[in-house]
Amino acid sequence: MSYYKEAVERIKSIDPNLYIGISIKRYEEVRSRGEYEADSILIAEYYRRVGVFLRFNSIEATSIYAGMDMLIGYKMDENEWGNFLIAFPNFKEIDIMLMKLLSIHYLRWCSLLDSGNLIALQFPDIYDPMIKLFERGGGQINTHHHELVGEFGAFSRTIDIRRGDKKPFNISDHALKLIINEVEHAEAYLVEYKRGSRTEFACIRCGNRLTIQSNITEYGYQWYKIKCESDDCFNENF
């Protein structure tokens, strides 16, 4: 199967029901905290891959809205938006512009791959993290001022070349599932802790003990840190 045909199948498979009315829903109505943690890994890996691409092309930075095809000189046609919605009617009810735009650029990039573009062929999977994000239902993202925001936190709307210096993130289905399981496990531990139980929970990543630290901000807001006793292992604020 060609790159473009595979891209078409992936975009057509995105379930619009996951996104209809999403802009007026509270974050907790859409996804769990663990799923948002997995979303942040997918976005971070996309930023890293773009950073590597920028370094290769000696470009210091780019906007989240700019496609890789545009950065190597290809312009979008005036009727690109209309044609996209005709080809992918599942997107007609999705009101997330960034999601539509990145999907269009993904298709255009795959066309370049099929045509044998030498630059594109060196970065064939650059869009995979974001398309995977959309496939998994993680499209509740928008830009506010200079940031890309969501329940996962915030990323700069500008992708800097230095992102390419980061270590690759594992975005396999297994790795993402592990992230979700870790957060759900920690949340269950915290529920028991608040009930007064002192049952110890083990880290599902390494097997060592998890610890809970209770903290109160200067404004009286209570929060908790759940941390694995192993260095550089699970460490989250709740």
Side-chain angles (χ1 to χ4, degrees):
M1 184 181 294
S2 71
Y3 285 102
Y4 184 81
K5 287 182 179 180
E6 181 180 354
V8 167
E9 292 303 314
R10 292 185 71 178
I11 292 176
K12 281 185 175 180
S13 71
I14 293 172
D15 184 358
N17 294 312
L18 297 172
Y19 300 103
I20 294 174
I22 199 172
S23 61
I24 61 174
K25 293 181 179 179
R26 297 190 304 273
Y27 285 118
E28 58 269 22
E29 295 180 81
V30 179
R31 292 169 79 66
S32 70
R33 171 170 174 152
E35 289 169 324
Y36 284 121
E37 290 285 343
D39 292 347
S40 70
I41 296 299
L42 288 165
I43 296 171
E45 175 58 13
Y46 175 67
Y47 274 50
R48 186 198 69 81
R49 294 184 187 191
V50 172
V52 174
F53 176 83
L54 295 176
R55 186 169 58 202
F56 177 83
N57 290 282
S58 300
I59 302 172
E60 288 298 319
T62 188
S63 167
I64 184 66
Y65 289 105
M68 303 306 107
D69 50 304
M70 297 172 63
L71 295 181
I72 59 175
Y74 292 85
K75 297 181 180 180
M76 292 182 67
D77 296 332
E78 290 183 3
N79 59 350
E80 199 102 33
W81 283 95
N83 289 340
F84 177 76
L85 293 178
I86 291 172
F88 303 97
N90 55 320
F91 267 69
K92 288 183 178 179
E93 301 298 324
I94 297 176
D95 57 355
I96 304 172
M97 186 187 72
L98 182 59
M99 185 174 170
K100 295 177 183 177
L101 187 60
L102 287 175
S103 296
I104 289 173
H105 285 305
Y106 168 55
L107 287 166
R108 288 160 56 88
W109 194 248
C110 288
S111 291
L112 290 174
L113 288 168
D114 286 339
S115 71
N117 182 279
L118 294 179
I119 295 179
L121 287 171
Q122 295 188 64
F123 303 92
D125 57 356
I126 193 168
Y127 281 101
D128 188 57
M130 294 305 290
I131 301 304
K132 195 166 191 174
L133 177 77
F134 302 151
E135 290 172 326
R136 293 169 57 88
Q140 192 184 23
I141 53 178
N142 61 80
T143 52
H144 180 69
H145 296 308
H146 298 292
E147 293 182 319
L148 174 69
V149 297
E151 184 63 14
F152 48 76
F155 289 79
S156 171
R157 196 165 69 178
T158 299
I159 305 176
D160 191 273
I161 189 175
R162 288 171 293 182
R163 283 278 180 176
D165 297 331
K166 304 287 186 181
K167 292 182 179 179
F169 295 89
N170 187 344
I171 61 169
S172 68
D173 290 340
H174 174 75
L176 296 175
K177 181 61 177 175
L178 177 60
I179 291 169
I180 295 170
N181 289 345
E182 284 179 335
V183 173
E184 291 177 348
H185 183 66
E187 288 177 321
Y189 185 18
L190 184 57
V191 168
E192 292 300 314
Y193 179 86
K194 288 181 176 179
R195 288 175 178 168
S197 171
R198 291 300 175 261
T199 301
E200 292 186 352
F201 277 50
C203 175
I204 62 176
R205 184 184 302 182
C206 71
N208 279 344
R209 187 168 68 101
L210 290 175
T211 61
I212 296 181
Q213 301 170 358
S214 177
N215 303 276
I216 299 179
T217 68
E218 59 181 310
Y219 301 106
Y221 174 75
Q222 190 164 31
W223 60 279
Y224 302 87
K225 176 181 283 293
I226 302 180
K227 189 176 186 304
C228 177
E229 288 187 330
S230 298
D231 292 335
D232 300 320
C233 201
F234 189 82
N235 186 1
E236 295 284 343
N237 294 331
F238 290 82

